[in-house]
Amino acid sequence: MPKLFWDKVGEKLYETGVRQGVLYVQNAGVYPLGVAWNGLTGVTESPSGAEATPLYADDSKYLNLMSAEEFGATVEAYTYPDEFGVCDGSVDVAEGVRIGQQGRKTFGLAYRTGLGNDTDGLDHGYNLHLVYGALAAPSEKGFQTVNNDPDAITFSWEVTTTPAAVTNRKPTAQMTINSTKVDPAKLQTLENILYGTDVADPRLPLPDEVIALFAGAAPEALTMSSIVPDEAAANVAVDSNIVITFNNKIAKESILVTSAAGVVVPGTKTLDATGKILTFDPTGNLTAGTTYLVTLIGVTDIYSQALPVTVKNFATVA
């Protein structure tokens, strides 16, 4: 076993700051759209529970029973996104008119704290914090006259959480990703998901998705694995569906089916349970003896990777 040393160069670590806050309002158990939280000044994490209850037998201490641990926090800010209104019990009833004392929606949160050391300073790295199932309690707002020592109003919310499910682990309401210890490419993929890209909206992935991203191999570039009917297929039945398979789970798509003359084919689109197989079911039968184009545009996977615009064709039976 190697000898211990203290305060070696580069190992004098510290954590400070809070920045790049993002709010994700929950919808049906997921967090589909993030918005930047400007003016975030502090997040105080305050776990509770995990307390021991001693049991005694035979006139001595037998064992300790541990209570469940809960995650809470205090969020402080100079301002907050308009979207946070529904999380703070407010509803807009007209442009610029808001009422309070309404129901409160659950939300998720992402923010960074800086990691520094004695050689790199705060360029050393950062912790990326993810919070799930958060619910904000009513907060006090103190308004005061401007004087010779002015200060901006600070808003503060006490937050409780309901943990999200984690496969083969206990549920959790918070995750921390250390930028100095994870694969930079996988971290960039996660941040593309959290903060959005030119082709994908920002969203908060659930814990299982985050774990799978870092525990597995880096995601493959998004491709179309197959399409039925096949490219340039002929004599396709007029009552056929169009089935497209991708190699990665799809987050967003915009697929257009038209005749070669430009007539749009109406229909419904469904993704299977894996999120990789998309079926287009035309509202009615296709026209016999007609060439059709399937245009894939705006398709992105859960890693915010985009599929290049792709056009396939087939012809129906005469």
Side-chain angles (χ1 to χ4, degrees), residues 6 19 57 127 291 293:
W6 287 263
R19 64 186 188 273
N127 274 332
T291 297
L293 305 177

Side-chain angles (χ1 to χ4, degrees), residues 65-147:
L65 290 180
M66 301 295 292
S67 63
E69 182 176 344
E70 297 193 11
F71 179 83
T74 302
V75 178
E76 297 178 285
Y78 285 126
T79 187
Y80 52 87
D82 288 341
E83 290 82 356
F84 187 68
V86 295
C87 306
D88 196 29
S90 300
V91 173
D92 291 330
V93 292
E95 184 68 27
V97 182
R98 177 171 289 187
I99 61 174
Q101 297 174 279
Q102 306 302 300
R104 292 171 178 265
K105 285 196 173 183
T106 302
F107 64 95
L109 194 63
Y111 57 93
R112 287 185 184 183
T113 52
L115 293 176
N117 68 3
D118 53 309
T119 57
D120 302 327
L122 280 177
D123 291 330
H124 182 62
Y126 55 88
N127 274 332
L128 177 58
H129 303 262
L130 309 179
V131 178
Y132 300 90
L135 197 63
S139 61
E140 181 180 88
K141 301 177 178 68
F143 302 98
Q144 297 180 353
T145 183
V146 174
N147 53 39

Side-chain angles (χ1 to χ4, degrees), residues 20-291:
Q20 289 186 241
V22 186
L23 168 74
Y24 307 87
V25 179
Q26 189 190 83
N27 183 15
V30 296
Y31 304 85
L33 187 63
V35 292
W37 189 322
N38 298 316
L40 188 66
T41 61
V43 179
T44 303
E45 299 181 355
S46 50
S48 61
E51 297 175 348
T53 299
L55 298 182
Y56 292 85
D58 297 322
D59 294 333
S60 63
K61 191 170 185 178
Y62 185 63
L63 55 80
N64 282 324
L65 290 180
M66 301 295 292
S67 63
E69 182 176 344
E70 297 193 11
F71 179 83
T74 302
V75 178
E76 297 178 285
Y78 285 126
T79 187
Y80 52 87
D82 288 341
E83 290 82 356
F84 187 68
V86 295
C87 306
D88 196 29
S90 300
V91 173
D92 291 330
V93 292
E95 184 68 27
V97 182
R98 177 171 289 187
I99 61 174
Q101 297 174 279
Q102 306 302 300
R104 292 171 178 265
K105 285 196 173 183
T106 302
F107 64 95
L109 194 63
Y111 57 93
R112 287 185 184 183
T113 52
L115 293 176
N117 68 3
D118 53 309
T119 57
D120 302 327
L122 280 177
D123 291 330
H124 182 62
Y126 55 88
N127 274 332
L128 177 58
H129 303 262
L130 309 179
V131 178
Y132 300 90
L135 197 63
S139 61
E140 181 180 88
K141 301 177 178 68
F143 302 98
Q144 297 180 353
T145 183
V146 174
N147 53 39
N148 61 354
D149 187 21
D151 194 9
I153 296 169
T154 300
F155 300 99
S156 177
W157 298 269
E158 295 298 322
V159 173
T160 57
T161 60
T162 300
V166 181
T167 301
N168 297 326
R169 302 285 183 181
K170 291 181 179 180
T172 186
Q174 60 96 21
M175 301 185 74
T176 304
I177 298 92
N178 186 321
S179 71
T180 69
K181 296 182 178 180
V182 298
D183 183 334
K186 294 179 180 179
L187 178 60
Q188 184 60 61
T189 298
L190 175 61
E191 292 181 348
N192 287 344
I193 297 171
L194 292 171
Y195 305 142
T197 65
D198 291 338
V199 296
D201 294 329
R203 64 181 180 86
L204 177 61
L206 294 174
D208 275 349
E209 185 179 338
V210 177
I211 293 169
L213 172 61
F214 287 101
E220 299 176 343
L222 177 60
T223 60
M224 184 189 72
S225 302
S226 65
I227 184 170
V228 178
D230 293 331
E231 163 70 355
N235 299 319
V236 174
V238 295
D239 60 351
S240 296
N241 290 340
I242 298 166
V243 181
I244 305 169
T245 302
F246 302 93
N247 64 324
N248 292 337
K249 186 176 182 179
I250 298 302
K252 187 177 180 181
E253 54 76 22
S254 178
I255 295 176
L256 184 65
V257 180
T258 64
S259 69
V263 179
V264 176
V265 177
T268 57
K269 293 176 288 185
T270 55
L271 278 167
D272 76 333
T274 69
K276 297 181 179 181
I277 302 176
L278 177 68
T279 300
F280 178 84
D281 183 8
T283 301
N285 284 347
L286 302 174
T287 302
T290 302
T291 297

